[in-house]
C-alpha cells in the first residue's frame, strides 16, 4: 500500500479518476485519527487533514492522560455510552499495539462533610452507568492506601479500574495504522471555507482545494467554526484552559492512585495522578477563555495549583517541578458530546469532545462511521488493518536501554542520547524514520521522550537537534 503524507505544496488529487475523496476527516487529534483508522477498514478513499504539522498536536497532546471508566458521566448520555465502550476497546487496543497503560485505580477524596455526603450519590451514579466495582472507603483505609495525603481527608470513593495511558502514542498509533492502510494524511492544511453541492463538498484549504463526497468535522477547538461553514449554529466552543505541573520522577513513590476531587460544574477539578512516564501530575485548572491559542501558563494558575496541591499532598510540593504545560478543552456549555449527522449534506459534526475524548475515541469512531453509513455512504465489507507495534514510552514496561538482547542486535539501543529520560540513539532513529515522522523537535519528544526530562533538553538538546536536522529531507 502506498503511503501518502504531505506537509507542503498543493494538495494531490485523490487516487481516482475525478480526484475526489470518499470521506475527508478534518482534525487529526485523537478522535479524528481514530475515525480515519476506522474508515481505513473499508475500501474507501479517505483523507485526514489538520492545520498543524503533526498528529495530536492540540488538545490531545496536553490532557491528563487518564483512561476513564465513565463512572461519573451523565447516565444515559451519549458520552456515558461511548466512554464505557471506548474504555474496553482502547484497553484491548493498547495491549495489542504496545501503548503503555497502568491500572492504578482512582480515589475520589472527600475533604469535608458535604463532600462525604456526595459519595453515595456518586456510587449510585456509577451503578447507573454500568460500573459496579466502585465502593466507598473510610478515612483509615484511605490513609493506609495513600499515607502521604494531607490532613483532614474523611473518606473516598474507590474506582479500581481507572488507569493512566500514554496520550501521545495513542493518536499516533491510530494515524500510523490508517496511513498504512491507505488513508492520505495532509498536514499544515487549514480549512478556510467549504462549498457544498449535490455531489459533495469542495473544501478550501491553506494548501488549495480538496474534493470530497462526505465530510467529518473533528476539528476540536474549531469544530463550531467548521460547523458554521456548513450553515449550522448549534453550539459554540469556549476554550477551557487547564494548566498542570509535572513533578520529577523522585515524587512517584508519593502516590499510588489517581487522586480525584469531588467534581463540580466546572469540571473534575484538580487531581494528583501518576503518569506512565514515571512523573506525577498536579492539575488541571479550569479557566474559560476567548483565545483558542492561549496555551501559556500563568502565575495565578500555578499559584492556585500549588495551593490545591498543598492540601491534597503537602509532601508533593517539596519535590522538584520538571515541567509546566497547559491544554485547551473544547467546552460547549453542555454535558454531552455534540455529535450530529446531517444526511442532506453528507456531513457529520463531532464537537464538544472534552477530557474523556481519549478514552472514548475508538467508540466515537465506530459511532461516526455508523452515522456516515446512515447518510448514504456505502462501506462494503470491513477488512483487517495492518498490525502496528508502537515504541514503549512507559516506565512500567522494559525500555530499550534495559533490553540486553535488543542492544546485542543493535548497539544503538544502548547508546543514550537523553540521559534524563534514558532515550537511546536507536529510539530517535526509529522515530525519525517512522511511518508518520515528526516535523518538529516537540514532535520528536512526543515519540521518544527526548528533551522531556528534568533538564528539559539543556544537556541533550544540541545532540537531539543535530539528529533531527540530519534526518530532514
Amino acid at each position: 500500500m502506498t503511503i501518502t503524507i504531505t506537509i507542503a505544496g498543493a494538495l494531490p488529487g485523490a487516487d481516482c479518476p475525478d480526484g475526489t475523496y470518499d470521506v475527508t476527516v478534518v482534525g487529526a487529534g485523537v478522535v479524528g485519527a481514530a475515525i480515519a483508522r476506522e474508515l481505513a477498514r473499508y475500501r474507501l478513499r479517505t483523507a485526514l487533514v489538520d492545520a498543524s504539522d503533526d498528529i495530536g498536536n492540540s488538545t490531545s497532546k496536553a490532557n491528563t492522560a487518564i483512561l476513564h471508566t465513565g463512572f461519573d458521566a451523565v447516565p444515559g448520555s451519549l458520552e456515558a455510552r461511548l466512554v464505557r465502550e471506548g474504555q474496553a476497546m482502547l484497553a484491548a487496543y493498547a495491549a495489542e499495539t504496545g501503548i503503555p497503560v497502568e491500572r492504578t485505580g482512582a480515589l475520589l477524596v472527600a475533604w469535608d462533610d458535604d463532600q462525604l455526603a456526595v459519595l453515595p450519590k456518586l456510587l449510585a451514579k456509577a451503578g447507573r452507568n454500568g460500573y459496579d466495582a466502585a465502593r466507598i472507603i473510610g478515612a483509615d483505609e484511605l490513609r493506609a492506601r495513600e499515607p502521604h495525603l494531607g490532613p483532614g481527608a474523611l473518606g473516598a470513593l474507590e474506582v479500581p479500574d481507572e488507569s493512566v495511558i500514554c496520550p501521545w502514542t495513542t493518536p499516533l498509533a491510530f494515524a500510523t495504522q490508517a496511513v498504512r492502510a491507505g488513508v492520505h494524511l495532509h498536514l499544515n492544511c487549514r480549512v478556510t471555507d467549504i462549498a457544498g453541492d449535490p455531489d459533495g463538498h469542495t473544501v478550501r484549504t491553506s494548501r488549495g482545494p480538496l474534493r470530497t463526497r462526505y465530510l467529518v468535522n473533528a476539528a476540536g477547538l474549531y469544530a463550531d467554526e467548521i460547523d458554521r461553514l456548513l450553515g449550522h449554529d448549534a453550539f459554540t466552543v469556549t476554550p477551557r484552559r487547564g494548566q498542570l505541573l509535572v513533578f520529577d520522577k523522585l515524587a512517584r513513590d508519593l502516590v499510588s492512585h489517581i487522586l480525584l476531587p469531588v467534581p463540580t460544574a466546572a469540571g473534575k477539578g484538580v487531581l494528583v495522578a501518576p503518569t506512565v512516564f514515571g512523573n506525577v501530575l498536579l492539575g488541571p485548572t479550569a479557566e474559560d477563555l476567548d483565545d483558542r491559542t492561549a496555551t501559556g501558563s500563568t502565575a495565578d494558575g500555578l499559584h492556585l495549583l500549588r495551593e490545591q496541591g498543598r492540601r491534597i499532598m503537602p509532601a508533593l510540593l517539596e519535590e522538584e517541578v520538571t515541567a509546566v504545560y497547559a491544554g485547551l478543552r473544547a467546552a460547549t456549555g453542555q454535558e454531552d458530546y455534540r455529535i450530529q449527522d446531517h444526511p442532506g449534506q453528507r456531513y457529520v459534526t463531532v464537537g464538544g469532545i472534552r477530557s474523556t475524548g481519549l478514552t472514548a475515541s475508538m467508540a466515537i469512531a465506530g459511532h461516526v462511521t455508523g452515522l456516515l453509513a446512515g447518510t448514504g455512504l456505502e462501506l462494503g465489507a470491513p477488512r483487517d488493518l495492518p498490525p502496528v507495534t508502537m515504541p514503549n514510552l512507559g516506565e512500567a514496561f522494559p525500555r530499550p536501554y534495559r533490553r540486553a538482547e535488543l542492544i546485542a542486535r543493535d548497539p544503538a539501543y544502548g547508546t543514550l542520547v537523553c540521559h534524563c529520560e534514558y532515550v537511546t540513539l536507536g529510539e530517535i532513529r526509529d522515530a525519525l524514520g517512522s511511518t508518520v515522522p515528526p516535523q518538529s523537535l516537540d514532535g520528536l519528544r512526543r515519540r521518544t521522550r527526548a528533551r522531556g526530562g528534568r533538564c528539559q533538553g539543556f544537556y541533550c538538546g544540541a545532540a537531539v537537534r543535530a539528529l533531527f536536522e540530519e534526518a530532514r529531507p
Side-chain angles (χ1 to χ4, degrees), residues 142-168:
L142 173 60
R143 182 67 54 186
R145 301 277 290 274
E146 290 289 352
H148 297 287
L149 273 177
L154 302 179
L157 180 70
E158 180 194 14
V159 188
D161 296 299
E162 295 276 301
S163 304
V164 292
I165 187 171
C166 179
W168 303 329

Side-chain angles (χ1 to χ4, degrees), residues 21 72 119 246 327 334 418 441 454:
Y21 288 107
D72 57 347
L119 296 186
V246 182
Q334 298 197 16
C418 172
L441 289 172
R454 56 171 22 188

Side-chain angles (χ1 to χ4, degrees), residues 66-71 87 91 101-106 131-134 158-164 258:
I66 295 176
L67 185 56
H68 295 281
T69 59
F71 77 97
Q87 190 268 348
V101 173
E102 290 185 51
R103 182 177 173 270
T104 60
Y131 185 76
D132 299 320
E158 180 194 14
V159 188
D161 296 299
E162 295 276 301
S163 304
V164 292
I258 302 165

Side-chain angles (χ1 to χ4, degrees), residues 112-151:
D112 56 41
D113 290 334
D114 290 341
Q115 292 180 9
L116 191 65
V118 173
L119 296 186
K121 300 176 184 177
L122 290 170
L123 179 63
K125 189 177 188 180
R128 294 198 301 276
N129 280 317
Y131 185 76
D132 299 320
R135 68 186 184 100
I136 295 174
I137 62 174
D140 290 342
E141 183 176 350
L142 173 60
R143 182 67 54 186
R145 301 277 290 274
E146 290 289 352
H148 297 287
L149 273 177

Side-chain angles (χ1 to χ4, degrees), residues 69-70 73-85 129 336-337:
T69 59
V74 177
S77 64
L78 179 62
E79 180 180 16
R81 175 172 70 83
L82 295 179
V83 169
R84 183 173 62 250
E85 295 174 359
N129 280 317
D336 204 357
Y337 295 159

Side-chain angles (χ1 to χ4, degrees), residues 155-241:
L157 180 70
E158 180 194 14
V159 188
D161 296 299
E162 295 276 301
S163 304
V164 292
I165 187 171
C166 179
W168 303 329
T169 310
T170 305
L172 185 61
F174 294 155
T176 297
Q177 211 162 21
V179 168
R180 288 182 182 177
V183 171
H184 290 192
L185 174 61
H186 302 304
L187 300 171
N188 294 318
C189 188
R190 181 178 298 278
V191 173
T192 59
D193 199 6
I194 301 171
D197 57 59
D199 297 320
H201 308 272
T202 298
V203 181
R204 297 187 177 93
T205 80
S206 56
R207 295 177 50 201
L210 177 153
R211 281 290 298 170
T212 187
R213 294 171 56 227
Y214 292 82
L215 186 65
V216 176
N217 169 13
L221 292 166
Y222 298 90
D224 58 337
E225 294 186 1
I226 299 295
D227 214 37
R228 290 188 183 99
L229 293 178
L230 275 296
H232 306 287
D233 193 16
F235 63 95
T236 297
V237 170
T238 300
R240 181 169 293 163
R241 180 167 60 191

Side-chain angles (χ1 to χ4, degrees), residues 453-471:
R454 56 171 22 188
C455 85
Q456 291 291 290
F458 182 83
Y459 289 104
C460 70
V464 173
R465 177 178 289 277
L467 292 169
F468 176 74
E469 295 293 345
E470 183 181 338

Side-chain angles (χ1 to χ4, degrees), residues 271-297:
L271 58 82
V272 173
T275 75
V276 295
F277 314 122
N279 302 91
V280 177
L281 289 181
L282 171 63
T285 57
E287 312 156 52
D288 287 346
L289 307 173
D290 296 325
D291 186 350
R292 304 185 194 217
T293 64
T295 56
S297 299

